[in-house]
Amino acid sequence: MESILFWVFSIAAIGGALGMVGTLRNTVYSALWLVVSMLALACLFIMLNAQFVGLIQIMVYAGAIVVLFLFVVMLLNLTGGVMGAEEQPLLKFVGVALAVAVSLQLGSILLRIELPWPEVSPEYGTTAEIGRALYTDYLLPFEVAGVLLLAAIVAALAMAKRERG
Amino acid sequence: MSEYAGLGLFMALGAGTILLLLVLTSVLGPRLRFAEKDEPFECGESPLVSPYRRFPVKFYMVAISFIIFDLEVVFLYPWAVVFRDLGWYGLLVAAPFLSMLSIALAYEWMKGALEWD
C-alpha cells in the first residue's frame, strides 16, 4: 500500500513539475501546476512521518509562495508568453547548466547513502519534537529567524513605499 | 499510515462525487451548443474585456506581508504544541521573537503599508 502511494505521489510530483514547464505559455497555469507538485511533495513528506514539514509545505509553499508567484504574474500580466527566454541563449545555457549541477549533486548524495537507515524514535519529526528542539537546542537560530523576518519587512517597505519618504 | 485511512476515504469520496457528476452530466445531459453558451457567464452580462488584466500593484505589499507573517505563524505551530511542557520558559523565549514581529507590524502600520491607497 505504502509503495503504491509513494509511486502515485512521486508521479504526481514529477507530473506537476513537467506540467509547469509545459504550460510556460500561460504562466497562471504554470503556477497552478506548481501547486500540484507541491501538494504531492507534501504527501510524500507526510508518508515519511514528517507531518510538520508536510503541512508547512502546503501552508507556505502551496499557499503563500505560489500566491506570491500568481500576484507577480498578474501584476506584470505575463500572459503574453515566455519572457525573453527565446531571445537570450545565455539564459538557456545557464538553465541547463544549473539543472546538470543539481542532478550531479543529487546523484552524489544518492551514492553516499548508507543502508540500513539509522534507527529513530517514533516521535522523531513530529510537531511536538520539532517544537522542543526549536525552543531549547536551536533557540538562537529561532530568534535570528525573527530578526530576519523583521529585516524582510523593513526591506519590503523600503522598496514598496519609497515614494512616500 | 493507517491513521490516514479516514482522510484517504474522505478524499476518495470527494473525488468520486465530482467524477460521478461529470460523467452523469456528460452521459445524460442534452448537448445544445450555440455561441452565447460558450461565453463565460458573468451575472448575465456579456463579458467586455479579457480577464487577463494587470492587477493593481498595491496587492504586492499585501502579498509580501502575508508571506512574512505566514512564516512567523509557521514558527508558532510547534510552540503552541509544546507550550504546556515549556511553561514560563516557552513564553520567555518566544517573547523576543513575537516582539520583533510586533515591531514589524507596528512599523508597517506607521508607514501606511496597511492602507490601500
Side-chain angles (χ1 to χ4, degrees), chain B residues 19-72:
Chain B
L19 271 179
L20 185 70
L21 287 175
L22 283 175
V23 168
L24 281 180
T25 43
S26 70
V27 171
L28 298 175
R31 270 185 210 80
L32 297 169
R33 290 181 73 101
F34 40 90
E36 284 80 4
K37 205 173 173 181
D38 288 336
E39 280 179 6
F41 182 80
E42 180 58 51
C43 306
E45 293 284 323
S46 303
L48 298 173
V49 290
S50 162
Y52 293 119
R53 300 168 71 185
R54 288 180 65 176
F55 264 47
V57 77
K58 294 161 190 166
F59 280 112
Y60 186 68
M61 201 58 225
V62 179
I64 293 272
S65 311
F66 170 60
I67 287 215
I68 287 167
F69 289 107
D70 197 34
L71 283 176
E72 176 197 2

Side-chain angles (χ1 to χ4, degrees), chain A residues 39-58:
Chain A
L39 288 179
L41 270 184
C43 294
L44 286 176
F45 278 132
I46 290 172
M47 282 184 67
L48 288 170
N49 218 17
Q51 296 93 350
F52 183 69
V53 183
L55 289 177
I56 294 310
Q57 178 82 13
I58 294 178

Side-chain angles (χ1 to χ4, degrees), chain A residues 2 71 74-75 135 143 164, chain B residues 1 54-56 75 89 93:
Chain A
E2 281 209 24
F71 266 138
M74 288 172 174
L75 293 173
Y135 290 93
E143 306 287 5
R164 304 202 156 222
Chain B
M1 275 318 275
R54 288 180 65 176
F55 264 47
F75 283 104
Y89 171 77
V93 295

Side-chain angles (χ1 to χ4, degrees), chain A residues 14 16 26 43 51 62 80 90 98 100 102 112 126 128-129 139 143 146 151 154 156 160:
Chain A
I14 296 171
N26 190 329
C43 294
Q51 296 93 350
L90 182 69
L98 274 178
V100 169
V102 170
R112 259 185 282 161
T126 58
E129 199 60 32
L139 189 59
E143 306 287 5
V154 173

